[in-house]
Amino acid sequence: MASKLKPLDVERETRPGKYPDGDGLYLVVASATSKNWNYRYWKAGKQRWLGLGSVKDVSLKDARLARDAARLRVKGDRSTPGVDIVQEKRATREEAKAAEIKVALPPFKECAEIYIRERWSTWSKKHRNQWPSSLERYAYPTIGKLTVPEIKPSHIYELLRPIWIEKRETANRVRGRIETIIAKNVDVDDSDFRNPAELTKQLREKLPRRPKRVVRHHPALPYAEASHFMANLSTAAGIAASMLRFLIFTVCRTNEVVEARWAEIDRPTSTWKIPGERMKMHQDHVVPLSEPALAILDAMRDDSQSGLIFPNPDGGMFSENAMLAVLNRLGYGHVTVHGFRSTFATWAEECTDYPDGVREAALAHKYKSETTAAYQRGQKLEKRRILMKDWARFLAVSDVIRFEEAGW
């Protein structure tokens, strides 16, 4: 058994080390000028070291009294369970830190309202209606008063579970909107942050299992008829007709084109960057622009143009049905605007040798396999640029002379 320390030992000892006094009390020497008292104990199989103060402030006698008091708290008695003092202090510090953060940070509802205000002028009427109402109804009751660091995956599960099956699309949109708002309010340098609203494998498995969706394909034009259709479309007047041609050349979705803005076009690199908030997968998507697509943009541009690339006659945003009206006028009411993405996909699969990954990236599709997605993070821009050029040539067979005259 080690002998007890003496006051003179405490004063003279300068060698770094831990010197026991008995019953868990240690003199911990870091240097001649740094000596501290520590009480070592075990709780739930874990070793703990509780600081009792510096030798400069706490005498050997007082250190022993502090050790005895700590032992009683750790051990407990018949009426009071034992306490893990170190863990208790840690929890108290974390609570105090959380309280400070909560005071400094705005609640989720305020973050959402700021996000909506900042983007209000760029949104369609549909977005302006859906964003505030969906968050008000499904998100705010659960997380509206919480700050972003306080929101946990369990909160997302709680608000999604009641609507996950019955209101499938609403649930998907609400989750995506929450994820976007949280991401906008996280420090960009916080590399360890994991968005609690991300649709992880764990969250999907915990949510109720959805029945398989009955797939209803959008009526599409056979690709063999595409070039003939484009020849007819090129004779149609009006901005909506130009918008439809641009959509077909870029194989983008209706809302992405209707809401397209000049600020998103990079003419020197011949690309169009669609912000994630307008994409189905909520990720930025860069579209390589073929010469015919650029020619449409050049024809649309003038000095008095508003921020929209394809404004309606009043200068505002077209209805998403505007391009459907063009199809009806041309006698193609049996197909849909979205169906041209299927026309492209079928053509690319049956008439080209481009890999699945390039074709899917052109359509901004999400990989069905998470493993494949992990290895295919790039957007394959240059490979897609060649693919879109081939698609444009296929569509413009009847207009090859015109494009060659334009230097294409």
Side-chain angles (χ1 to χ4, degrees):
M1 179 177 177
S3 59
K4 297 280 187 179
L5 292 172
K6 297 183 177 72
L8 197 56
D9 297 330
V10 175
E11 183 182 344
R12 291 180 174 178
E13 188 60 69
T14 59
R15 294 169 300 171
K18 297 175 181 177
Y19 301 92
D21 181 63
D23 295 327
L25 179 63
Y26 283 80
L27 170 66
V28 179
V29 179
S31 67
T33 58
S34 178
K35 304 179 187 179
N36 297 279
W37 297 110
N38 274 257
Y39 169 50
R40 185 184 72 167
Y41 67 92
W42 295 80
K43 197 70 177 177
K46 295 182 179 180
Q47 180 180 241
R48 304 290 198 195
W49 289 84
L50 175 65
L52 301 178
S54 169
V55 167
K56 297 177 182 178
D57 304 316
V58 181
S59 66
L60 175 57
K61 179 181 178 180
D62 289 340
R64 288 169 177 166
L65 291 173
R67 180 267 322 273
D68 293 341
R71 284 183 68 197
L72 289 175
R73 289 200 66 204
V74 171
K75 186 176 181 181
D77 54 33
R78 292 181 180 178
S79 61
T80 307
V83 175
D84 187 340
I85 303 175
V86 171
Q87 186 61 30
E88 183 182 66
K89 286 188 173 184
R90 185 178 299 157
T92 300
R93 287 196 301 269
E94 289 177 354
E95 288 175 5
K97 184 178 180 180
E100 290 178 4
I101 292 174
K102 189 167 184 178
V103 171
L105 295 178
F108 175 83
K109 183 177 180 180
E110 185 176 333
C111 294
E113 290 172 344
I114 292 172
Y115 180 87
I116 291 170
R117 283 199 303 271
E118 289 175 346
R119 286 153 182 80
W120 189 262
S121 62
T122 68
W123 280 353
S124 64
K125 184 178 180 181
K126 180 180 177 181
H127 274 66
R128 291 177 179 180
N129 289 335
Q130 289 186 350
W131 269 77
S133 61
S134 65
L135 294 174
E136 184 73 44
R137 184 170 182 180
Y138 302 110
Y140 296 162
T142 302
I143 62 173
K145 295 181 180 179
L146 301 179
T147 62
V148 166
E150 290 179 309
I151 299 174
K152 308 299 179 189
S154 58
H155 293 123
I156 307 303
Y157 165 76
E158 181 183 343
L159 66 88
L160 288 179
R161 183 180 55 79
I163 59 174
W164 190 246
I165 294 178
E166 298 299 325
K167 299 181 178 180
R168 186 178 191 136
E169 291 305 321
T170 298
N172 291 342
R173 291 191 179 105
V174 168
R175 186 208 60 77
R177 287 163 186 166
I178 293 172
E179 182 179 9
T180 298
I181 293 166
I182 290 176
K184 292 293 184 181
N185 286 275
V186 174
D187 190 334
V188 293
D189 295 326
D190 189 355
S191 58
D192 296 328
F193 177 78
R194 181 70 178 268
N195 198 314
E198 181 183 347
L199 188 59
T200 60
K201 181 179 179 181
Q202 292 82 357
L203 179 58
R204 282 202 308 271
E205 290 179 347
K206 191 173 182 181
L207 286 164
R209 185 175 295 276
R210 286 170 164 172
K212 288 187 177 180
R213 190 198 300 264
V214 177
V215 178
R216 294 182 176 86
H217 295 289
H218 294 272
L221 187 73
Y223 67 81
E225 301 176 23
S227 61
H228 178 71
F229 167 77
M230 291 299 284
N232 289 337
L233 180 58
S234 66
T235 66
I239 294 176
S242 296
M243 182 165 59
L244 178 57
R245 292 180 67 233
F246 185 75
L247 176 143
I248 295 170
F249 280 122
T250 58
V251 297
C252 288
R253 297 178 178 89
T254 299
N255 73 293
E256 296 162 8
V257 175
V258 168
E259 301 177 37
R261 294 180 170 272
W262 288 112
E264 298 164 3
I265 303 297
D266 187 339
R267 194 63 173 80
T269 62
S270 300
T271 56
W272 169 29
K273 185 176 181 179
I274 309 173
E277 64 200 44
R278 220 161 64 237
M279 295 298 299
K280 187 175 182 180
M281 295 298 116
H282 304 287
Q283 295 177 345
D284 291 353
H285 180 56
V286 179
V287 181
L289 298 173
S290 61
E291 288 298 327
L294 290 169
I296 294 169
L297 294 180
D298 291 342
M300 289 299 305
R301 191 185 294 275
D302 66 53
D303 294 336
S304 62
Q305 199 80 56
S306 68
L308 291 167
I309 295 176
F310 302 103
N312 65 25
D314 296 326
M317 199 175 292
F318 268 106
S319 160
E320 293 191 355
N321 292 323
M323 289 182 282
L324 277 176
V326 175
L327 289 174
N328 287 328
R329 289 202 308 270
L330 294 175
Y332 285 85
H334 59 288
V335 299
T336 63
V337 175
H338 193 86
F340 283 100
R341 286 167 57 84
S342 297
T343 302
F344 165 82
T346 306
W347 165 81
E349 182 176 1
E350 296 185 3
C351 302
T352 77
D353 295 324
Y354 289 97
D356 289 350
V358 176
R359 301 198 306 263
E360 293 298 289
L363 292 165
H365 279 167
K366 183 177 181 180
Y367 290 97
K368 294 179 181 179
S369 166
E370 291 187 2
T371 301
T372 303
Y375 286 96
Q376 300 285 354
R377 290 179 184 147
Q379 292 197 3
K380 304 177 177 63
L381 182 62
E382 294 310 313
K383 292 180 180 179
R384 287 194 290 117
R385 191 184 295 280
I386 301 172
L387 169 60
M388 300 314 293
K389 183 176 182 178
D390 287 346
W391 170 239
R393 285 186 178 278
F394 173 77
L395 292 175
V397 168
S398 61
D399 290 334
V400 166
I401 295 177
R402 179 165 57 86
F403 284 124
E404 285 180 345
E405 289 175 350
W408 181 38

